[in-house]
Amino acid sequence: MISIVLLGAGNVASHLYKAFSKAKSITVTQWYNRSFDAIKSYQNETEVIDSLDKLKEADIYILAVSDDSISKLSKMLPFSDKFVVHTSGSVNIHDLDKRNKRGVFYPLQTFSKTAEIDFSNVPICIEAEEREHRSILKSAAEAIGSPVYKINTEQRQILHLSAVFVNNFTNQLYRIAHEISDAKNINFDILKPLILETAKKVEDMSPYLAQTGPAKRNDKKTLKRHLKQLENDQHKAIYELLTASIKQTHGVSTSSTTRKS
Amino acid sequence: MISIVLLGAGNVASHLYKAFSKAKSITVTQWYNRSFDAIKSYQNETEVIDSLDKLKEADIYILAVSDDSISKLSKMLPFSDKFVVHTSGSVNIHDLDKRNKRGVFYPLQTFSKTAEIDFSNVPICIEAEEREHRSILKSAAEAIGSPVYKINTEQRQILHLSAVFVNNFTNQLYRIAHEISDAKNINFDILKPLILETAKKVEDMSPYLAQTGPAKRNDKKTLKRHLKQLENDQHKAIYELLTASIKQTHGVSTSSTTRKS
């Protein structure tokens, strides 16, 4: 049995609490939050506290708080030589106070407050100073059904950056498509199956091999017409830059395509 | 019963043939292709021909050929006053020769040669000069289980442009994430659940509401570190442009964030 004390009450903390409390091999010993209100509705399920002085013994202390609060909170912990981890994609493991043994338990997924999360779709990237602690983190991740990856701080920060590309930036491309189709009274639903299929395609094919379309084909007529159809200068710039990026990836000449005989 | 003559043997034609031949209310009367080799393996299932002179009577003639060949092929058809459609996202309905009644049957999806296609995930955008013909196209699309949308040429071209954003450009963002994670020996599999969840999220939430991340939060520290981590200038430019686009969409000040009291 792994005992966990959870600190924080944001999206990640709340989803982790629900997953841990369902897992057979895990006990959530306590749930701490600075403001009691956010967690008091759970007081019949676990011990909820708003004072760090009340913290009890546990195998892992999980600081699921905002990036900026991690270092400060770790310094406020009233004990040493225990195992303390954060859940951030970008904060260095050494930002945790060194009085305790340190680690990271980073769930790489997009969390919304409302939707139920299936942790089998949430890869957990783990890091720890000591092998024994890494093994505890691995067991905790497996207990909630998550795939586990051993990742160091540099790799984790690159993953966090990659996540911005495949999540935030991709979502912004959806937004632009929504905007330009809305302007012509086109139902955005028509694009949803394509959005889903595009994501599914790279499950078992590399994005390199999955690429199609006018940029890769260097279909100048279509590229020119598309640019003409875009009314917003920023959309035009995005079209041009991503087209150039596809051409570069696929070795399409960006200048002339005239072939020598 | 709707009788169809299919012309062409590319990805779209092949997938349409398979779907039509399974549909109870559709007969594929003939399958034409300029080169006989591409379709001869189907000669036990339907009449396959390589000469336009052999074309028989049918309710719809579907020109599933490349954009550049549509107009030319429509001019070569040895009949008039029949119902002829193309399957392109970008070609004008009036590019079809006007001796025949014209229409469009545009399946909006990414097709690969190998994978089996479930047409319930392929919206069909239909257009026709006459109401009666539009109704035949609607029945044909419904017979293969596709959702059907009545779309005019301008809307279809904007959909095609939108598809470049949500398919080609999105896939290129996946590619960049693959590149930067590969460079640090990170398994791209870690990002796949996030890719899928990002696509699923906009099934029932607008991309505007689904947005999260450092650009929307105007988290300057993270934005700065990410830019520093990117080694490729084109990747940096894409990061900056899409960050600016998110900021603009969400009304985040792009200059100073100092608030006046």
Side-chain angles (χ1 to χ4, degrees):
Chain A
M1 189 65 94
I2 301 170
S3 59
I4 290 176
V5 167
L6 197 61
L7 298 96
N11 279 346
V12 172
S14 302
H15 286 297
L16 282 178
Y17 172 75
K18 281 172 201 155
F20 285 144
S21 59
K22 274 186 213 149
K24 283 190 184 135
S25 56
I26 289 179
T27 312
V28 180
T29 308
Q30 292 176 312
W31 192 356
Y32 161 88
N33 195 50
R34 198 171 43 177
S35 140
F36 193 70
D37 278 356
I39 51 174
K40 72 174 176 196
S41 61
Y42 295 90
Q43 60 189 339
N44 294 328
E45 296 179 24
T46 188
E47 188 184 335
V48 295
I49 55 170
D50 60 359
S51 159
L52 293 171
D53 296 330
K54 293 182 186 161
L55 285 174
K56 290 182 178 164
E57 187 73 33
D59 295 321
I60 321 174
Y61 296 82
I62 301 183
L63 277 50
V65 296
S66 72
D67 288 5
D68 292 338
S69 314
I70 291 170
S71 170
K72 194 176 153 200
L73 179 58
S74 77
K75 284 191 181 69
M76 289 162 64
L77 295 175
F79 49 68
S80 60
D81 288 319
K82 300 198 188 299
F83 183 44
V84 175
V85 306
H86 71 65
T87 60
S88 162
S90 48
V91 172
N92 200 297
I93 189 173
H94 296 120
D95 285 7
L96 290 165
D97 190 273
K98 65 171 185 277
R99 282 178 302 124
N100 285 291
K101 302 296 175 187
R102 300 173 286 190
V104 180
F105 191 85
Y106 168 47
L108 184 82
Q109 189 48 282
T110 169
F111 290 101
S112 49
K113 199 86 188 177
T114 48
E116 193 75 9
I117 294 281
D118 173 2
F119 270 81
S120 68
N121 294 325
V122 182
I124 308 276
C125 303
I126 60 167
E127 185 177 358
E129 290 180 306
E130 294 178 15
R131 181 192 297 260
E132 160 209 358
H133 288 141
R134 202 152 53 227
S135 147
I136 295 177
L137 290 181
K138 186 163 178 279
S139 301
E142 284 169 352
I144 57 176
S146 292
V148 196
Y149 297 89
K150 197 184 125 192
I151 292 290
N152 65 34
T153 287
E154 189 199 11
Q155 288 174 321
R156 183 162 39 81
Q157 289 174 339
I158 291 292
L159 267 173
H160 186 253
L161 169 60
S162 302
V164 167
F165 277 84
V166 305
N167 176 249
N168 306 153
F169 291 170
T170 287
N171 186 73
Q172 182 64 7
L173 295 181
Y174 300 162
R175 162 66 191 180
I176 294 170
H178 194 182
E179 238 176 273
I180 61 182
S181 52
D182 235 26
K184 303 289 174 190
N185 292 312
I186 302 161
N187 189 339
F188 185 62
D189 284 351
I190 308 180
L191 289 162
K192 289 178 181 175
L194 179 61
I195 286 173
L196 209 52
E197 192 58 31
T198 304
K200 280 185 185 164
K201 212 170 173 183
V202 296
E203 289 279 301
D204 31 48
M205 187 189 273
S206 75
Y208 181 86
L209 288 173
Q211 193 57 279
T212 60
K216 190 192 166 194
R217 284 196 310 274
N218 198 20
D219 174 353
K220 292 178 176 182
K221 216 170 101 185
T222 302
L223 295 172
K224 201 174 158 186
R225 200 194 49 246
H226 281 172
L227 276 173
K228 209 174 148 188
Q229 283 170 326
L230 287 167
E231 288 158 11
N232 177 310
D233 283 342
Q234 202 172 42
H235 296 171
K236 270 190 213 289
I238 291 168
Y239 190 97
E240 283 176 327
L241 189 53
L242 285 168
T243 293
S245 177
I246 293 172
K247 283 182 175 179
Q248 183 152 322
T249 295
H250 293 275
V252 177
S253 161
T254 44
S255 54
S256 167
T257 52
T258 316
R259 292 188 188 200
K260 285 177 184 159
S261 58
Chain B
M1 188 66 93
I2 302 170
S3 58
I4 290 177
V5 167
L6 196 62
L7 298 95
N11 279 346
V12 173
S14 302
H15 286 296
L16 282 178
Y17 172 75
K18 281 171 202 157
F20 285 145
S21 58
K22 273 186 214 147
K24 282 191 185 133
S25 56
I26 290 179
T27 311
V28 180
T29 308
Q30 292 176 310
W31 191 356
Y32 161 87
N33 195 50
R34 201 170 43 173
S35 139
F36 193 68
D37 278 358
I39 50 174
K40 72 175 175 193
S41 62
Y42 295 91
Q43 60 190 338
N44 294 327
E45 296 179 24
T46 188
E47 189 184 332
V48 294
I49 56 170
D50 61 359
S51 160
L52 294 171
D53 295 332
K54 293 182 186 160
L55 285 174
K56 290 181 178 166
E57 188 72 34
D59 295 320
I60 321 175
Y61 296 82
I62 300 183
L63 277 49
V65 297
S66 72
D67 287 7
D68 292 338
S69 314
I70 291 170
S71 169
K72 194 177 152 199
L73 179 58
S74 77
K75 283 190 179 69
M76 289 162 64
L77 296 174
F79 48 68
S80 59
D81 288 320
K82 300 199 188 300
F83 183 44
V84 176
V85 306
H86 71 65
T87 59
S88 162
S90 48
V91 172
N92 199 296
I93 190 173
H94 296 119
D95 284 9
L96 290 164
D97 190 275
K98 65 169 185 278
R99 281 178 303 124
N100 285 292
K101 303 296 176 187
R102 299 172 287 189
V104 181
F105 191 84
Y106 168 46
L108 184 82
Q109 189 48 280
T110 170
F111 290 102
S112 49
K113 199 86 187 175
T114 49
E116 195 73 10
I117 294 282
D118 172 4
F119 270 82
S120 69
N121 294 324
V122 182
I124 308 274
C125 303
I126 60 167
E127 183 177 359
E129 291 180 307
E130 294 179 13
R131 181 192 295 260
E132 160 208 0
H133 288 140
R134 201 154 51 227
S135 145
I136 295 178
L137 291 182
K138 185 163 179 280
S139 302
E142 284 169 353
I144 57 176
S146 291
V148 196
Y149 297 89
K150 196 184 127 192
I151 292 289
N152 65 34
T153 287
E154 189 198 11
Q155 288 174 321
R156 183 162 39 82
Q157 289 174 340
I158 291 293
L159 267 174
H160 186 252
L161 169 60
S162 302
V164 167
F165 278 83
V166 304
N167 175 250
N168 306 152
F169 291 170
T170 287
N171 186 73
Q172 183 64 8
L173 295 180
Y174 301 163
R175 162 66 191 180
I176 293 169
H178 194 182
E179 240 176 274
I180 61 182
S181 52
D182 235 26
K184 304 290 175 191
N185 292 312
I186 302 161
N187 189 340
F188 185 62
D189 285 351
I190 308 180
L191 289 161
K192 289 178 181 175
L194 179 61
I195 285 173
L196 210 52
E197 192 59 32
T198 304
K200 280 185 185 162
K201 210 170 173 183
V202 296
E203 289 279 302
D204 32 46
M205 188 189 274
S206 75
Y208 181 86
L209 289 174
Q211 192 59 276
T212 60
K216 190 192 165 192
R217 284 196 310 272
N218 198 19
D219 173 353
K220 291 177 177 181
K221 216 170 102 186
T222 302
L223 295 172
K224 201 174 160 188
R225 200 192 50 245
H226 281 172
L227 276 172
K228 210 173 149 190
Q229 283 171 327
L230 287 166
E231 288 158 11
N232 177 310
D233 284 342
Q234 201 171 44
H235 296 170
K236 271 188 212 290
I238 291 168
Y239 190 98
E240 283 176 325
L241 189 53
L242 285 168
T243 292
S245 177
I246 293 172
K247 284 183 176 178
Q248 183 152 323
T249 296
H250 293 274
V252 177
S253 161
T254 45
S255 53
S256 167
T257 52
T258 316
R259 294 190 187 199
K260 285 179 184 158
S261 57

